[in-house]
């Protein structure tokens, strides 16, 4: 079968034409707290599986989402613009300041506490537990918790989408990160150089799994974000790959 090869100018043209179509949502009221320390070191890892947020490019502008927003991990990678609601609480809000964060973690509910006494991540509240450096862009430290206005916005990322292959024989667990546009993923298909396309299932967070034996094959991916945009990543993982390796693509949403 003939293999389609795109020259760099054509590829760049393709990327330019396929700029993410995701558009911002309306503004919604919520609340925000912070965690992780002044250097955000306590935010590493998390329920989306991105690992070291410094190394993977997410940095300190991240947040854990409450149950109402996290959607069992389907919201991992989404970006939100957050403004402290100065009119609601002028004591602890920095007026006119906003920050854009990426969802990288889950803020678990605490049903032992009522919503107005620390159970801010309990359903149905829409709450952000932000990395401290991000929170301090909009709030005054002593406040601890502030009312916010937020909207979901397109994600802007440096470089292309990244794929990290973990797992073992007959079990590929692929972390898909650095996704621009909608940020969150709706569906993933995988193809080995000796197989056809196969659907993957979300295992947890931003990790997608396949149960095929793909060792020794180059791997291609077809990824669809939650706004319906689809991109192909042909042979992005070479045939000599090993579990635990990461691969960056030139393609982005």
């Amino acid at each position: 079968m003939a293999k389609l090869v795109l020259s760099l100018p054509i590829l760049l043209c393709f990327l330019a034409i396929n700029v993410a179509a995701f558009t911002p949502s309306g503004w919604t009221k919520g609340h925000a707290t912070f965690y992780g320390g002044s250097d955000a070191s306590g935010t590493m890892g998390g329920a989306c599986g991105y690992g070291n947020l410094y190394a993977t490019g997410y940095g300190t502008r991240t947040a854990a989402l409450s149950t109402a927003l996290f959607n069992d991990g389907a919201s991992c990678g989404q970006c939100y613009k957050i403004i402290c609601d100065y009119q609601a609480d002028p004591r602890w809000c920095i007026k006119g300041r906003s920050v854009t964060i990426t969802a990288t973690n889950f803020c678990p509910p605490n049903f032992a506490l009522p919503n107005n006494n620390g159970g801010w991540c309990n359903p149905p509240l829409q709450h952000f537990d932000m990395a401290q450096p991000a929170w301090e862009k909009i709030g005054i430290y002593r406040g601890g918790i502030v009312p916010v206005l937020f909207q979901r916005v397109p994600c802007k990322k440096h470089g292309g989408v990244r794929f990290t292959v973990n797992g073992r024989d007959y079990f590929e667990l692929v972390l898909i990160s650095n996704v621009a546009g909608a940020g969150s993923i709706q569906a993933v298909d995988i193809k080995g150089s000796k197989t056809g396309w196969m659907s993957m299932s979300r295992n947890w967070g931003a990790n997608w799994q396949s149960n095929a034996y793909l060792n020794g094959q180059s791997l291609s991916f077809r990824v669809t974000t939650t706004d319906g945009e689809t991109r192909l990543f042909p042979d992005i993982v070479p045939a000599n790959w090993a579990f635990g390796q990461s691969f960056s693509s030139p393609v982005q949403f």
Side-chain angles (χ1 to χ4, degrees), residues 83-208:
I83 299 173
C84 196
D85 191 348
Y86 186 83
Q87 288 188 332
D89 193 347
R91 297 173 303 163
W92 311 122
C93 288
I94 300 176
K95 189 175 183 179
R97 293 277 296 274
S98 68
V99 65
T100 298
I101 58 86
T102 303
T104 59
N105 204 353
F106 173 55
C107 182
N110 186 347
F111 295 110
L113 296 173
N115 292 337
N116 61 356
N117 191 33
W120 293 105
C121 290
N122 293 353
L125 298 186
Q126 300 189 92
H127 185 83
F128 298 86
D129 199 14
M130 301 168 63
Q132 185 175 330
W135 188 93
E136 289 189 299
K137 297 289 184 183
I138 61 170
I140 298 170
Y141 181 83
R142 288 176 299 160
I145 181 167
V146 293
V148 298
L149 299 171
F150 68 91
Q151 65 173 171
R152 191 175 159 202
V153 296
C155 296
K156 298 178 181 179
K157 302 298 179 186
H158 297 290
V161 177
R162 298 174 190 147
F163 299 84
T164 301
V165 185
N166 293 302
R168 60 184 183 277
D169 295 348
Y170 292 100
F171 176 65
E172 294 79 31
L173 187 66
V174 181
L175 170 68
I176 305 176
S177 60
N178 203 53
V179 179
S184 51
I185 297 171
Q186 175 178 294
V188 182
D189 299 310
I190 189 171
K191 181 183 179 300
S193 52
K194 300 177 183 178
T195 76
W197 287 103
M198 299 172 288
S199 297
M200 303 185 76
S201 59
R202 188 191 308 279
N203 186 290
W204 65 280
N207 288 279
W208 293 76

Side-chain angles (χ1 to χ4, degrees), residues 5-26:
V5 179
L6 296 179
S7 67
L8 182 58
I10 294 175
L11 177 60
L12 292 177
C13 181
F14 174 82
L15 293 177
I17 292 172
N18 286 275
V19 174
F22 183 80
T23 54
S25 68

Side-chain angles (χ1 to χ4, degrees), residues 37-49:
S38 59
D39 61 354
S41 59
T43 65
M44 299 301 108
C48 290

